[in-house]
Amino acid sequence: MEMGSTQNGIMWFFRDKGFDEKSISEMMRKCKRLEGVQRESASENWAYLKSIGIQERKLPSVISKCPKILTLGLHEKLVPTVECLNTLGTKPKEVLSAIAKFPHILSHSVEEKLCPLLAFFQTLGIPEKQLGKMILLNPRLISYSIETKLTEIVEFLAGLGLSRDGVIGKVMVKNPFIMGYSVEKRLRPTAEFLKSIGLTEAGLQSVVMNYPEVLCRDVDKVLRPNFAYLQRCGFADGQIATLVTGYPPILIKSIQNSLEPRIRFLVEEMGRQIDEVTDFPDFFRYGLKKRLESRHKVLKHRKLDCSLNEMLDCNQKKFQMKFGLI
């Protein structure tokens, strides 16, 4: 009888907070322990989350993702976990953002999950001040197994020749999301593709160290179409390898919104040969309107010729000084 009244209490709590019947039944299915939660304790946890700065309009989303939060002891579990997370953050809203992205971070044990995770990352040479930033940026890290998932990623990166002191740690700090990908389904196929288009071992290492996000993208959906587009533009395979080594994001940039407009501007407006960019792959890094169009317009007006490197690889003040504009 008592269980039935408790369950009715939590149901009324959810209705009072604006949840519809479908959401309520989904949460009850997801977390059986809700059936035994008193309405008063659920209200206390809700009020506490609101008090730390989570906006009331966002609370339903947080609770829907992880209803278990309402079953946690407020002073035994919820408050200590938030206080521990606060020690990792350096900016006021970092912890709130992490909770909103992955509310399950509140349900994991500080002693059993967070502490071993921090220790594991420290063995990779990741500085203490970077640890918190990394975990709060990708809070799902706390849910990954050190033994099966994270160790496999580390071994894969070491196999690419990145086992020098601290290098793997730097890759993980640069892109904490790399640890969420499967080695066999994503990271290894991407690395093999990069080798197949002509990247050397050193070139591949440079990609991973400087642009780890490239390694995380799908070969067939993103990298291969970009490679084929560059071939259609007239680049030889060796030139594409040079472009990718020089500016790896060329393989993941939008063809329609980024690559195509820049190549069209290079050839049609600037009147340059397409292979000029192989000497300066960073051409694709710069904003079309802010940098390319504005500087080309100035040089054209002054009837000045220069390489892409000379035109682009300097700030505005140096550009003006270089071409006698000030």
Side-chain angles (χ1 to χ4, degrees):
M1 183 72 188
E2 194 180 322
M3 179 61 81
S5 62
T6 303
Q7 189 172 347
N8 284 335
I10 194 70
M11 297 290 272
W12 280 113
F13 167 81
F14 282 133
R15 288 178 189 129
D16 183 49
K17 296 300 180 188
F19 289 91
D20 59 32
E21 296 302 316
K22 187 183 175 187
S23 301
I24 295 170
S25 60
E26 179 62 22
M27 287 188 289
M28 300 297 282
R29 185 193 64 76
K30 220 189 266 186
C31 180
K32 299 294 182 193
R33 286 169 62 185
L34 280 174
E35 292 173 3
V37 174
Q38 298 286 342
R39 185 174 181 173
E40 293 73 22
S41 62
S43 296
E44 282 181 359
N45 286 13
W46 182 282
Y48 172 68
L49 293 173
K50 192 177 163 186
S51 75
I52 63 171
I54 298 176
Q55 295 171 331
E56 185 135 33
R57 65 185 175 80
K58 289 187 178 176
L59 273 171
S61 167
V62 168
I63 299 302
S64 294
K65 288 179 191 169
C66 184
K68 187 180 177 184
I69 290 171
L70 295 179
T71 72
L72 304 174
L74 178 59
H75 299 290
E76 303 80 15
K77 171 77 176 142
L78 206 51
V79 174
T81 302
V82 170
E83 286 174 352
C84 177
L85 292 174
N86 281 331
T87 66
L88 300 178
T90 53
K91 294 174 187 168
K93 294 190 177 174
E94 276 182 322
V95 172
L96 300 181
S97 172
I99 293 169
K101 273 193 277 191
F102 188 66
H104 297 78
I105 196 169
L106 296 175
S107 67
H108 285 282
S109 162
V110 169
E111 296 81 11
E112 290 172 24
K113 289 293 288 186
L114 187 57
C115 292
L117 186 66
L118 293 171
F120 173 76
F121 287 137
Q122 282 178 317
T123 65
L124 297 173
I126 297 173
E128 203 167 313
K129 64 178 182 181
Q130 299 283 2
L131 288 173
K133 184 179 169 187
M134 212 169 80
I135 289 168
L136 295 176
L137 187 61
N138 183 11
R140 284 180 183 275
L141 288 171
I142 201 168
S143 68
Y144 299 153
S145 160
I146 292 172
E147 291 75 21
T148 57
K149 184 152 186 65
L150 298 180
T151 302
E152 186 188 19
I153 302 268
V154 170
E155 287 171 354
F156 167 73
L157 293 172
L160 296 179
L162 300 176
S163 52
R164 297 187 303 283
D165 282 354
V167 173
I168 291 173
K170 284 174 185 168
V171 170
M172 291 181 163
V173 168
K174 206 169 185 75
N175 189 351
F177 299 98
I178 195 171
M179 290 169 271
Y181 291 94
S182 159
V183 168
E184 297 309 324
K185 289 180 183 172
R186 177 61 57 85
L187 304 182
R188 197 183 304 284
T190 305
E192 292 302 322
F193 174 77
L194 292 171
K195 284 191 231 172
S196 77
I197 65 170
L199 263 69
T200 61
E201 186 179 353
L204 180 58
Q205 289 169 3
S206 175
V207 171
V208 179
M209 286 190 289
N210 297 305
Y211 296 95
E213 63 273 20
V214 173
L215 201 63
C216 302
R217 301 302 287 275
D218 187 279
V219 170
D220 292 321
K221 289 180 184 170
V222 182
L223 276 72
R224 205 184 298 282
N226 278 34
F227 180 77
Y229 170 73
L230 293 170
Q231 284 180 314
R232 290 196 302 275
C233 287
F235 292 108
D237 289 1
Q239 289 177 315
I240 297 174
T242 301
L243 287 171
V244 173
T245 304
Y247 184 59
I250 197 170
L251 280 184
I252 61 172
K253 290 271 187 186
S254 162
I255 293 171
Q256 190 177 351
N257 299 323
S258 182
L259 303 184
E260 203 171 345
R262 282 167 178 76
I263 288 177
R264 193 186 309 119
F265 185 77
L266 175 82
V267 176
E268 295 176 11
E269 296 297 323
M270 298 176 78
R272 293 178 182 258
Q273 296 298 311
I274 198 166
D275 54 10
E276 277 192 61
V277 293
T278 57
D279 294 325
F280 188 63
D282 273 344
F283 169 82
F284 292 98
R285 178 200 300 271
Y286 298 106
L288 185 57
K289 294 199 178 297
K290 275 191 176 177
R291 184 72 65 99
L292 298 178
E293 289 183 7
S294 63
R295 292 196 178 179
H296 171 65
K297 191 176 174 183
V298 170
L299 295 173
K300 188 178 178 183
H301 179 69
R302 293 262 180 148
K303 295 185 170 59
L304 295 169
D305 283 327
C306 66
S307 69
L308 291 174
N309 189 338
E310 289 169 322
M311 172 185 164
L312 299 167
D313 195 17
C314 56
N315 62 31
Q316 189 61 15
K317 190 176 178 183
K318 284 183 181 172
F319 174 74
Q320 290 174 327
M321 288 172 66
K322 190 186 289 188
F323 295 103
L325 304 172
I326 52 172

